[in-house]
């Protein structure tokens, strides 16, 4: 969007000569690592770590720095993937850069000069073995690469964040000690095709200068195998068979003709071809049903998004032999599935395996310093799947390979593409080098991720569509990569000459809106494909705020005109402003920061639920269907109080559980615009014999209406089930409880709304690109005077492998009709201990009426208890906190 608008580091350790790649997430300082070693044919080793230093401290050039024995003893030791800032943070240079304004300790001046990365390793080159130096991404912003005193590549070649590079360094290797050095140039996202965090958080002071992907040494014999790719073609609508095609590029590394045998398997199917290559020739070897009939697979294991089915994976393994010797190997995983898209009444509609796919996703933020923590990434994707969210949009933050592997296994779809508000969309400034780097970036990224079944499409623009010349560069690059998924011109409603309309809209909002906003078919409301929209501030619970805010920061939360460092760096989003005004007018002025945080969870829950529910309901609108929505944003690059569904520390609060409620696979919901009820089913099968039970209560607990309505849930769609009753005598703030039951009366889904007899109203005439102001406010102040509620509960824990599952049973035992409102449970590390994070809850912030019992489950790593016994704390808006032993 034109938004005028983790703490752990991954060490990738190569062991001794001939070892396989090993990835090890570390919790603090990077490891020393074993020396990198030149690999044997068919094997790869990764530079395990680096020494890093500013060029201000190193006057020597690359011809000296890259010589074995050069003194780097006083340099910083950093991880294999480490931007400059990531390395300095890991070495404790600035303290806790997440807390308060400590990030300001790193001044921009430190990063206006190049920084050196250096590593010594041993080698014992064997005759006939070729060694290649591989950069699996560019050097930000550009780099010089040196080996043993010789420049391998310069800044005219190694430029941009994403182009991959491979250099034959066989002639430069020495028996014994060797040294590699890379000089990373300063970065400026407005002038370099790099990575920019725009207004997503405070900016990294180094602007992500340095190395953020692996540098590797790959060994090969006379013939190398590169670009192994695999595709499965389904004869839609039938899924009864698949034609699998496997391709690999065989490259002759020698000056003489050579013949190689390329053999391998796909799911037990034998592959074999003989290929003859002229000197230095590269030729594509293809295996398909035409030459390998067994690759026409009957009853294939079809890959689906998790909301639609299972995620089976296939593997392709190939080997090239020359004579009797292994020359190289290649391996990839892939899934058999097909993704297509079309314009449906103007909105971009994706289909997977021939079934329309309603995208309900969030925008991904990489770590601010581009650190890779595999466990943290896996934890986040588990939270995404646990929430029911089916898609992640990667705007200009294509992650490392492990991210895509996890998404494949979890069935989470991914939309990739370039970012806004930086050099990537300053099209008028592009020169010949920019065009070349842009094309290389698209080709490199597409080749890297094309085999992953989780990929949904590629956006070659975000807030702007590229002009015709650049569009052609991108499309030609994607064709060279054999990209076979949808390509979209822009995330905004801007066409490009060849691709035409993107079928996407970017009309805001990015800041607070009441629930009714999402149901109006205007601007960011539920129609078409909204590529990035959300209600702005998402305030974590107080326990989380104390992790990154000072007492002074917390004290000024109730000053809505105060600049908040842990909001955006831009003036548009650095104050709570009209979010606070709406909180005051709807819920009542908070008595202090604690009360503000308590009421914030209500506001976050109700509007986030409404955003996803509105798009779910209107998925089946025949006139203006809602085809997709990306919540802005999913997560935080650095601790902030806006644009996330779970916070930086992976805590889940009102934002998360409002969305989780809306994203249940079979769900009953209320519509704020016309008071209609609907049942949304994301499954592929119709579900009959259901009933919607709707009950209305006044704030004092008096039941005002109860109705039961039969319904059949439409497959992969929504169906209306009448409107909410409107009995006389409703209090100004009242409750609606919706239950979806099966024929036996079992509750399949439950949804509670706190509503007002006075509606929120909007003034669309004063809308900006990021906000539509309110002209009237719902009256929910009655929640502040609810009668005191009460719950009893029990908790029990069982160990399941590496995890513990804690089951919490809560009962409203009040005798006078009092509701127990917005009850939250947490698992603690012993009584009075910190909350266990991350925790996957089945539900939370629940509301119960007298006699009701609800059971919640929490799943978390046993190790995260730190040896303490689990304890559950449960309390609500009008319910005192209880402590429940959970052993």
């Amino acid at each position: 969007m034109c938004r005028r608008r983790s703490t752990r580091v991954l060490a990738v350790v190569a062991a001794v000569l001939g070892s396989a790649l090993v990835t090890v997430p570390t919790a603090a300082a990077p490891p020393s690592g074993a020396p990198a070693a030149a690999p044997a044919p068919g094997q790869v080793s990764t530079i395990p770590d680096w020494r890093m230093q500013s060029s201000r401290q190193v006057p020597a050039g690359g011809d000296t720095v890259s010589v074995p024995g050069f003194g780097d003893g006083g340099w910083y030791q950093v991880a294999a993937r480490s931007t400059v800032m990531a390395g300095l943070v890991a070495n404790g240079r600035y303290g806790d850069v997440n807390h308060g304004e400590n990030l300001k300790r790193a001044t921009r001046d430190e990063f206006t000069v190049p920084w050196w990365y250096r590593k010594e390793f041993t080698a014992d080159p064997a005759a006939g073995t070729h060694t290649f130096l591989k950069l699996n991404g560019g050097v930000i912003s550009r780099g010089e690469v040196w080996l043993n005193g010789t420049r391998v590549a310069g800044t005219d070649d190694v430029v941009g964040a994403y182009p991959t590079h491979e250099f034959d360094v066989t002639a430069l290797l020495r028996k014994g000690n060797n040294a590699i050095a890379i000089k990373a140039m300063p970065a400026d996202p407005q002038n370099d095709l790099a990575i920019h965090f725009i207004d997503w958080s405070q900016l990294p002071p180094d602007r992500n200068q340095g190395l953020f992907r692996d540098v590797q040494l790959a060994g090969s014999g006379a013939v190398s195998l590169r670009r192994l790719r695999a595709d499965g073609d389904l004869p839609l609508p039938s899924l009864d068979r698949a034609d699998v095609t496997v391709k690999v590029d065989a490259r002759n590394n020698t000056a003489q003709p050579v013949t190689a045998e390329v053999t391998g398997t796909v799911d037990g199917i034998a592959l074999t071809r003989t290929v003859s290559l002229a000197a230095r020739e590269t030729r594509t070897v293809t295996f398909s049903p035409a030459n390998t009939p067994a690759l026409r697979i009957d009853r294939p294991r079809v890959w689906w998004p998790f909301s639609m089915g299972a995620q089976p994976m296939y593997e392709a393994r190939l080997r090239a032999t020359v004579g009797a010797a292994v020359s190289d190997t290649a391996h990839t995983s892939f899934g058999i599935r097909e993704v297509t898209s079309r314009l449906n009444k103007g909105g971009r509609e994706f289909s997977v395996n021939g079934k329309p796919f309603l995208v309900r996703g969030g925008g991904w933020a990489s770590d601010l310093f581009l650190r890779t923590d595999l466990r943290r990434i896996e934890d986040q994707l588990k939270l995404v799947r646990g929430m029911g969210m089916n898609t992640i949009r990667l705007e200009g933050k294509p992650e490392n390979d492990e991210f895509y592997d996890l998404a494949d296994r979890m069935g989470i779809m991914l939309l990739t593409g370039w970012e806004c508000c930086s050099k990537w969309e300053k099209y008028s400034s592009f020169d010949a080098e920019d065009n070349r780097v842009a094309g290389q970036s698209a080709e490199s990224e597409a080749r890297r991720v094309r085999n992953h079944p989780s990929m949904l499409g590629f956006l070659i623009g975000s807030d702007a569509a590229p002009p015709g010349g650049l569009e052609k560069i991108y499309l030609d690059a994607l064709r060279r990569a054999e990209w076979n998924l949808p390509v979209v011109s822009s995330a905004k409603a801007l066409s490009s000459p060849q691709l035409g309309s993107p079928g996407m809209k970017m009309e805001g909002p990015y800041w607070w809106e009441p629930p009714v906003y999402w149901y109006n078919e205007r601007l960011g409301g539920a129609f078409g494909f909204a590529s990035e929209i959300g209600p702005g501030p998402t305030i974590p619970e107080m326990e989380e705020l104390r992790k990154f805010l000072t007492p002074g920061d917390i004290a000024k939360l109730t000053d809505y005109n105060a600049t908040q460092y842990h909001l955006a760096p831009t003036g548009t989003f650095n104050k709570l402003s009209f979010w606070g005004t709406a909180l005051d007018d709807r819920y009542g002025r908070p008595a202090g920061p604690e009360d503000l945080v308590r009421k914030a969870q209500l506001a976050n829950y109700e509007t986030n639920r409404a955003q996803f529910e509105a798009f779910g309901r209107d998925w089946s609108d025949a006139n203006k269907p809602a085809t997709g929505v990306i919540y802005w944003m999913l997560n935080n690059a650095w601790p902030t109080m806006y644009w996330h569904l779970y916070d930086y520390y992976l805590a889940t609060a009102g934002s998360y559980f409002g969305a989780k409620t809306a994203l249940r696979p079979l769900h009953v919901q209320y519509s704020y615009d016309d008071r209609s009820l609907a049942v949304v089913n994301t499954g592929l099968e119709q579900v009959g014999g259901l009933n919607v039970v709707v009950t209305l209560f006044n704030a004092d607990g008096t039941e005002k209406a109860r109705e039961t309505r039969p319904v059949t849930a439409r497959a992969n769609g929504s169906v209306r089930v009448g409107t909410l009753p409107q009995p006389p005598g409703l209090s100004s703030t009242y409750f609606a409880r919706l239950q979806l039951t099966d024929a036996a009366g079992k509750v399949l889904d439950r949804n509670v709304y706190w509503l007002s007899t006075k509606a929120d109203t909007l003034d669309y005439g004063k809308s900006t690109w990021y906000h539509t102001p309110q002209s009237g406010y719902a009256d929910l102040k009655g929640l502040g005077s609810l009668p005191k509620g009460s719950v009893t509960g029990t908790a029990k824990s069982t160990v399941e492998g590496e995890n513990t599952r804690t089951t919490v049973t809560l009962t409203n035992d009040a005798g006078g009709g009092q509701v127990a409102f917005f009850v939250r449970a947490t698992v603690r590390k012993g009584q009075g201990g910190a909350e266990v994070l991350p925790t996957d809850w089945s539900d939370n912030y629940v509301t119960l009426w007298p006699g009701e019992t609800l059971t919640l489950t929490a799943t978390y790593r046993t190790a995260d208890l730190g040896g303490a016994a689990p304890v559950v704390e449960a309390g609500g808006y009008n319910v005192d906190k209880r402590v429940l032993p959970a052993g």
Side-chain angles (χ1 to χ4, degrees):
M1 70 194 199
C2 204
R3 291 84 115 160
R4 292 149 319 232
R5 64 174 186 161
S6 257
T7 22
R8 299 182 180 90
V9 181
L10 172 74
V12 181
V13 182
V16 296
L17 178 65
S19 68
L21 175 66
V22 179
T23 56
V24 181
T26 64
S32 59
Q43 298 177 339
V44 176
S45 64
T46 298
I47 304 297
D49 52 45
W50 299 91
R51 298 283 184 170
M52 182 188 79
Q53 187 57 271
S54 168
S55 64
R56 283 200 177 107
Q57 308 300 320
V58 185
D63 56 343
T64 301
V65 174
S66 67
V67 171
F70 177 82
D72 61 8
W75 292 26
Y76 298 100
Q77 186 175 327
V78 302
R81 306 172 188 173
S82 179
T83 63
V84 175
M85 189 67 189
L88 295 176
V89 169
N91 279 272
R93 174 78 175 272
Y94 311 110
D96 182 0
V97 294
N98 294 334
H99 193 263
E101 297 187 4
N102 289 350
L103 186 60
K104 291 182 178 179
R105 294 176 182 174
T107 63
R108 184 77 185 110
D109 178 66
E110 296 184 71
F111 311 107
T112 57
V113 299
W115 281 69
W116 280 106
Y117 292 76
R118 185 178 186 279
K119 181 66 180 179
E120 293 200 16
F121 62 96
T122 60
D124 186 12
T129 297
H130 299 259
T131 302
F132 299 91
L133 178 63
K134 300 178 69 174
L135 303 182
N136 291 299
V139 177
I140 300 177
S141 66
R142 56 181 74 217
E144 292 178 0
V145 182
W146 296 78
L147 181 63
N148 292 335
T150 298
R151 193 178 82 162
V152 176
T155 56
D156 56 338
D157 188 16
V158 179
V159 54
Y162 302 114
T164 57
H165 301 275
E166 181 173 320
F167 308 104
D168 189 339
V169 294
T170 306
L172 299 180
L173 280 181
R174 304 171 181 172
K175 182 179 178 62
N177 291 336
N178 293 258
I180 182 175
I182 297 178
K183 190 177 187 180
M185 303 304 166
D188 178 358
Q190 297 303 327
N191 293 302
D192 303 312
L193 292 173
I195 292 175
H196 191 21
F197 281 87
I198 315 164
D199 52 3
W200 301 9
S201 70
Q202 298 296 334
L203 301 181
D206 67 342
R207 303 305 189 262
N208 298 127
Q209 178 182 4
L211 305 179
F212 74 109
R213 287 190 177 153
D214 290 333
V215 178
Q216 296 176 319
L217 294 169
S220 175
V223 173
S224 295
L225 298 180
R226 294 292 184 266
R227 291 186 59 214
L228 175 58
R229 56 264 196 209
D231 296 298
D233 180 48
L234 295 164
L236 299 176
S238 172
L239 305 178
D240 291 341
R241 75 169 193 275
D243 286 352
V244 172
T245 300
V246 177
K247 296 181 181 180
V248 70
D249 292 346
R251 183 184 67 206
N252 182 359
N253 301 313
T254 74
Q256 295 81 34
V258 66
T259 297
E261 296 294 326
V262 180
T263 60
T265 60
V266 170
D267 198 42
I269 299 169
L271 311 177
T272 181
R273 293 288 302 280
T274 300
V275 58
S276 296
L277 300 168
R280 309 295 180 189
E281 181 185 10
T282 298
R283 181 178 295 180
T284 298
V285 179
T286 301
F287 302 93
S288 71
N291 57 38
T292 309
L295 288 176
R296 174 159 288 175
I297 299 173
D298 291 327
R299 296 180 297 280
R301 303 187 303 276
V302 176
W303 189 98
W304 292 93
F306 76 86
S307 59
M308 292 176 154
Q311 295 77 50
M313 297 291 292
Y314 286 78
E315 289 192 349
R317 295 181 179 273
L318 294 180
R319 170 182 295 188
T321 56
V322 177
V326 174
S327 183
D328 204 2
T329 62
H331 164 262
T332 191
S333 297
F334 67 100
I336 294 178
R337 63 90 180 90
E338 286 195 24
V339 173
T340 58
S341 73
R342 64 168 185 145
L343 296 185
N344 182 359
K345 303 294 179 67
R348 175 71 55 177
E349 180 184 274
F350 289 91
S351 291
V352 180
N353 300 328
K355 301 295 185 181
F357 177 69
L358 173 61
V359 170
R360 292 196 288 181
W364 177 261
S366 297
D367 176 81
L368 187 64
F369 311 122
L370 303 185
R371 297 168 294 192
T372 302
D373 179 340
L374 297 187
R375 192 173 83 168
R376 179 177 172 84
I377 290 174
E378 183 173 11
D379 285 343
Q380 291 188 75
L381 294 189
K382 286 180 178 177
L383 287 175
V384 170
R385 178 163 167 155
M387 184 172 29
M389 180 173 282
N390 61 25
T391 302
I392 292 173
R393 180 183 168 206
L394 302 156
E395 185 200 335
K397 308 292 183 295
E399 279 283 353
N400 287 294
D401 295 339
E402 300 92 344
F403 182 94
Y404 300 90
D405 291 336
L406 287 166
D408 290 344
R409 296 205 302 268
M410 295 188 194
I412 299 169
M413 303 303 291
L414 304 174
L415 266 173
T416 193
W418 307 133
E419 70 191 26
C420 82
C421 314
S422 66
K423 176 67 176 184
W424 286 98
E425 291 187 348
K426 293 173 69 174
Y427 299 135
S428 63
S429 72
F430 273 39
D431 58 20
E433 181 185 71
D434 295 325
N435 286 331
R436 172 176 61 83
V437 173
Q440 290 176 343
S441 298
E443 185 173 359
S444 293
E445 281 302 300
R447 285 180 173 181
R448 189 170 69 89
V449 302
R450 69 172 307 283
N451 288 353
H452 291 280
S454 55
M455 296 307 304
L456 191 62
F458 200 119
L459 279 76
I460 59 173
S462 178
D463 293 28
L470 183 56
E471 179 197 40
K472 183 178 186 304
I473 289 172
Y474 282 140
L475 294 179
D476 287 348
L478 293 173
R479 276 191 285 270
R480 289 193 298 274
E482 298 179 53
W483 184 260
N484 59 2
L485 297 173
V487 181
V488 182
S489 62
S490 175
K492 201 170 184 177
L494 296 170
S495 300
S496 59
Q498 291 188 54
L499 294 173
S501 171
M504 294 192 172
K505 64 176 184 176
M506 189 188 291
E507 300 187 70
Y510 297 100
W511 218 240
W512 166 258
E513 299 295 350
V516 70
Y517 175 93
W518 309 108
Y519 296 86
N520 297 327
E521 292 184 340
R522 304 177 68 173
L523 299 178
F527 69 96
F529 194 116
S531 63
E532 47 179 64
I533 56 174
T538 41
I539 311 297
E541 290 279 5
M542 184 61 75
E543 183 176 1
E544 297 304 304
L545 291 174
R546 291 191 177 110
K547 293 178 180 177
F548 63 90
L549 296 184
T550 67
D553 294 333
I554 291 173
K556 70 178 181 179
L557 288 176
T558 52
D559 181 357
Y560 306 141
N561 293 314
T563 299
Q564 309 282 353
Y565 187 67
H566 284 266
L567 289 176
T570 62
T572 307
F573 302 128
N574 65 357
K575 300 178 178 66
L576 291 174
S577 60
F578 40 78
W579 174 86
T581 303
L583 197 73
D584 290 357
D585 287 341
R586 299 175 83 246
Y587 288 104
R589 176 74 179 171
E594 292 274 2
D595 194 32
L596 178 142
V597 170
R598 185 174 73 131
K599 290 174 175 173
Q601 306 317 314
L602 297 173
N604 293 345
Y605 188 110
E606 59 167 343
T607 194
N608 288 345
R609 173 176 59 182
Q611 178 175 335
F612 286 110
E613 285 185 340
F615 277 81
R617 183 196 74 175
D618 290 345
W619 173 224
S620 296
D621 187 327
N623 297 316
K624 295 183 75 173
T627 57
V629 59
I630 299 294
Y631 182 92
W632 204 251
M633 297 180 64
L634 170 64
N635 62 332
N636 285 156
W638 177 81
T640 75
M641 298 183 288
Y642 71 127
W643 290 356
H644 67 251
L645 288 170
Y646 52 84
D647 76 8
Y648 181 80
Y649 300 97
L650 310 189
T652 51
S655 301
Y656 182 88
F657 287 101
K660 181 182 176 78
T661 296
L663 294 169
R664 290 174 187 147
L666 185 60
H667 181 55
V668 59
Q669 60 187 56
Y670 165 76
S671 305
Y672 283 84
D673 60 338
D674 59 9
R675 305 179 60 81
S676 67
L677 306 181
V679 172
V680 178
N681 177 19
T682 58
L684 298 182
E685 300 295 331
Q686 176 178 291
V687 183
L690 304 177
N691 286 292
V692 171
V693 182
V694 52
T695 312
L696 300 187
F697 301 89
N698 272 351
D700 64 4
T702 305
E703 184 177 307
K704 300 297 292 182
R706 180 189 291 263
E707 296 181 7
T708 299
R709 301 169 187 172
V711 63
T712 295
R714 177 178 177 177
N716 199 21
S718 68
V719 61
R720 305 288 183 109
V721 197
T723 59
L724 196 71
Q726 193 66 21
L730 284 174
S731 53
S732 58
T733 303
Y734 65 99
F735 295 100
R737 182 185 64 196
L738 307 181
Q739 294 172 302
L740 185 66
T741 65
D742 64 14
K746 179 182 177 181
V747 176
L748 305 177
D749 186 45
R750 185 178 184 277
N751 200 355
V752 174
Y753 295 82
W754 46 102
L755 301 172
S756 171
T757 54
K758 181 184 177 185
D760 288 301
T761 55
L762 296 153
D763 187 351
Y764 283 95
K766 295 181 180 177
S767 296
T768 65
W769 62 272
Y770 61 92
H771 173 62
T772 294
Q774 288 187 241
S775 53
Y777 297 90
D779 180 6
L780 300 168
K781 299 182 183 68
L783 296 174
S785 55
L786 290 174
K788 194 73 171 176
S790 175
V791 295
T792 58
T794 60
K796 182 176 179 56
S797 299
T798 56
V799 176
E800 302 174 351
E802 296 181 350
N803 295 328
T804 293
R805 178 184 294 270
T806 296
T807 301
V808 184
T809 302
L810 300 174
T811 299
N812 183 336
D813 64 346
Q818 302 97 318
V819 64
F821 178 55
F822 218 54
V823 177
R824 176 187 181 227
T826 59
V827 178
R828 323 298 297 190
K829 301 176 184 180
Q831 186 163 344
E835 183 180 1
V836 177
L837 296 175
T839 296
D840 179 15
W841 282 94
S842 61
D843 199 1
N844 221 323
Y845 296 90
V846 295
T847 298
L848 304 89
W849 277 269
E852 278 195 311
T853 295
L854 292 178
T855 299
L856 314 178
T857 60
T859 305
Y860 48 92
R861 276 187 296 269
T862 305
D864 288 343
L865 286 166
V871 170
V872 171
E873 290 183 0
Y877 204 77
N878 64 332
V879 176
D880 291 336
K881 188 175 295 183
R882 284 182 174 269
V883 176
L884 308 174

